[in-house]
Amino acid sequence: MTANTLQEAFDLTKRFTSKPSNEELLKLYSLYKQATEGDNNEERPGGFDFVAAAKYNSWLALKGKSKEDAASAYIELVNSLSTKYM
């Protein structure tokens, strides 16, 4: 099964039978956030919350990428991962 829209791709990730790697999860997260919210304008997480910091930095790295380009990249990534995790 392949996804053609952002929502279909998001729904497809819920049907993965095993968990993608942390690197793949970060890429999924950042592309989804960029596609749905645009550039990261949130406050940088502090302290020792390394997961939040990794998510923040991953999303920040996509600054300037259009929502449409991020959505296309997200859909492409989900379709690629679906062959591996379904």
Side-chain angles (χ1 to χ4, degrees):
M1 172 171 205
T2 58
N4 297 307
T5 68
L6 188 64
Q7 186 60 51
E8 286 176 6
F10 181 78
D11 292 343
L12 189 56
T13 64
K14 301 294 184 200
R15 298 208 310 262
F16 286 1
T17 55
S18 58
K19 185 178 174 185
S21 71
N22 287 339
E23 184 178 315
E24 291 164 335
L25 289 171
L26 271 178
K27 191 72 174 164
L28 286 168
Y29 171 83
S30 60
L31 285 169
Y32 186 81
K33 292 290 273 186
Q34 189 72 18
T36 57
E37 297 183 31
D39 288 343
N40 182 350
N41 294 313
E42 294 183 0
E43 193 172 315
R44 182 178 296 278
F48 294 97
D49 192 345
F50 299 115
V51 172
K55 286 179 163 184
Y56 177 90
N57 290 332
S58 183
W59 181 16
L60 189 64
L62 297 178
K63 185 173 184 150
K65 188 179 200 76
S66 73
K67 287 183 175 186
E68 294 77 19
D69 287 347
S72 293
Y74 178 83
I75 293 165
E76 187 177 313
L77 178 60
V78 169
N79 285 333
S80 170
L81 293 177
S82 70
T83 64
K84 192 173 173 181
Y85 296 111
M86 285 185 72

